[in-house]
Amino acid sequence: VFFLWSGTDTVFSGLLRAAGAPMGYLVWRGLQRIDLEGLRRILRPTALIALPLYVAGLAGIRGIVGGASPDAEKIRVILEQLNWLPFYYDFAASSIRAVASVGAVLVQYGILGVLLALVLGRRHAPFLIVCLSILIAMSLQIAALLLAGLRPDPSNPILAAMGALTGAAVVPWFFKAMAAHMEEVNRARPRQAAPATARATP
């Protein structure tokens, strides 16, 4: 992050880049001392609180909050002009804009998948993650239409399922990778010398 931070101030940019190495080392050392079970117990209630806040944030990004409520005639016109072919509006746009739009939705629902996996814990199943993410995506699309008069995008529920599945897969991968790493670190540490037993004098 610090390395990619570029600016007109050469001195400030150099200081940020120089700070990246020791901070990365401190993060690495901190991860070696982490209690995975304790981290799991902390993250679950944190994710439970963050989940509704994040969904509200998605509503704000979608433009639902603060939008002008449309009348029935406007909603009817939007639905009549809506193309239900998935990714139609992405293909109709420029290539850069389409990739950016698809990538943004995947990232947004990928974070949602991480939060859902943390809330559900070890009992989470891919099917449940898919159903919840599609339900949330469709609810946001309907709310955007009814509350702000915005055109729904049929691609978003599909992207929501894909992004949420990817995000949910990151959670068990992270804990397994950290457990394997800590096991290797513990094996690599030199064993402390056992105290010498007192020998009886003849």
Side-chain angles (χ1 to χ4, degrees), residues 62-78:
R62 189 69 180 88
I64 300 173
V65 181
S69 300
D71 54 13
E73 180 64 21
K74 183 178 180 180
I75 294 175
R76 184 187 63 80
V77 172
I78 293 174

Side-chain angles (χ1 to χ4, degrees), residues 116-132:
L116 287 174
L118 290 173
V119 169
L120 296 174
R122 293 173 178 170
R123 297 173 295 178
H124 83 267
F127 179 75
L128 183 57
I129 295 291
V130 168
C131 291
L132 290 175

Side-chain angles (χ1 to χ4, degrees), residues 31-32 37 48 51 60 63 66 80 86 95 108 110-111 115 126-127 150 153 156 160 166 182 185 197 200:
L31 288 176
Q32 290 184 343
E37 290 302 321
L48 186 61
L51 182 59
E80 287 180 353
S95 57
Q108 291 168 9
I111 299 174
L115 294 176
F127 179 75
L150 299 176
D153 192 343
N156 281 3
T166 304
M182 293 180 67
V185 169
T197 56

